[in-house]
């Protein structure tokens, strides 16, 4: 096999990223800080001994941004992990944010996320489903 310079650079970057991820996990374990499930991003990178969520989902994004899709997603996890904690990735934001528009193409849907997540009707629906919104301090 012939390794090109580009291949060697890619291998070096991959090794660096793996060391960085491992250092991140070790740091969290050392200080005992609850954290996002890193195995979601890299299946071979486990080793967290600190509290973490039971699941992580990033489908409330882009084409997944709707109240119905959010409810379906939440109900799916409620069945899968009835007493568990789901971390739901979201990126709510303000409407017509010119600063954000200068660095991201994902602006309008951020506002839709904000409207859905702050809707009082969603809060009532969550209560009816016996679902609580929590943060990482609840994992301790």
């Amino acid at each position: 096999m012939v390794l090109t310079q580009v291949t060697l650079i890619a291998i070096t970057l991959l090794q660096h990223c793996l060391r960085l991820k491992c250092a991140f996990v070790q740091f969290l374990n050392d200080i005992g800080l609850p954290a996002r499930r890193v195995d979601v991003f890299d299946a071979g990178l486990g080793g967290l001994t600190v509290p973490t969520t039971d699941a992580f989902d990033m489908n409330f994004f882009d084409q997944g941004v709707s109240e119905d899709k959010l409810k379906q997603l939440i109900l799916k996890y409620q069945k899968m992990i009835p007493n568990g904690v789901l971390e739901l990735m979201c990126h709510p934001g303000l409407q017509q944010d010119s600063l954000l528009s200068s660095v991201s193409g994902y602006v309008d849907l951020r506002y839709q996320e904000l409207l859905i997540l702050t809707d009082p009707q969603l809060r009532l629906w969550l209560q009816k489903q016996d679902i609580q919104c929590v943060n990482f301090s609840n994992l301790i």
Side-chain angles (χ1 to χ4, degrees), residues 20-91:
L20 184 59
K21 290 176 187 178
C22 290
F24 173 71
V25 169
Q26 185 62 49
F27 173 73
L28 294 175
N29 288 341
D30 288 348
I31 65 171
L33 182 68
R36 171 175 290 158
R37 297 182 62 93
V38 292
D39 58 340
V40 172
F41 302 103
D42 189 336
L45 186 64
L48 270 179
T49 59
V50 296
T52 187
T53 58
D54 299 297
F56 174 86
D57 194 288
M58 51 187 137
N59 289 309
F60 184 63
F61 178 75
D62 202 17
Q63 299 304 312
V65 176
S66 79
E67 182 180 344
D68 288 338
K69 288 181 182 180
L70 176 61
K71 289 178 178 179
Q72 290 171 10
L73 184 72
I74 291 170
L75 290 174
K76 176 181 89 168
Y77 281 99
Q78 187 181 38
K79 288 179 185 174
M80 288 173 38
I81 49 170
N83 296 312
V85 177
L86 165 66
E87 180 182 356
L88 180 65
M89 183 174 76
C90 55
H91 297 92

Side-chain angles (χ1 to χ4, degrees), residues 86-107:
L86 165 66
E87 180 182 356
L88 180 65
M89 183 174 76
C90 55
H91 297 92
L94 300 175
Q95 189 174 26
Q96 300 175 345
D97 185 330
S98 60
L99 180 59
L100 184 58
S101 296
S102 69
V103 295
S104 174
Y106 191 72
V107 178

Side-chain angles (χ1 to χ4, degrees), residues 1-18:
M1 176 169 100
V2 177
L3 295 178
T4 66
Q5 187 172 2
V6 172
T7 304
L8 291 174
I9 291 171
I11 290 170
T12 302
L13 286 174
L14 183 61
Q15 290 170 340
H16 176 72
C17 287
L18 184 56

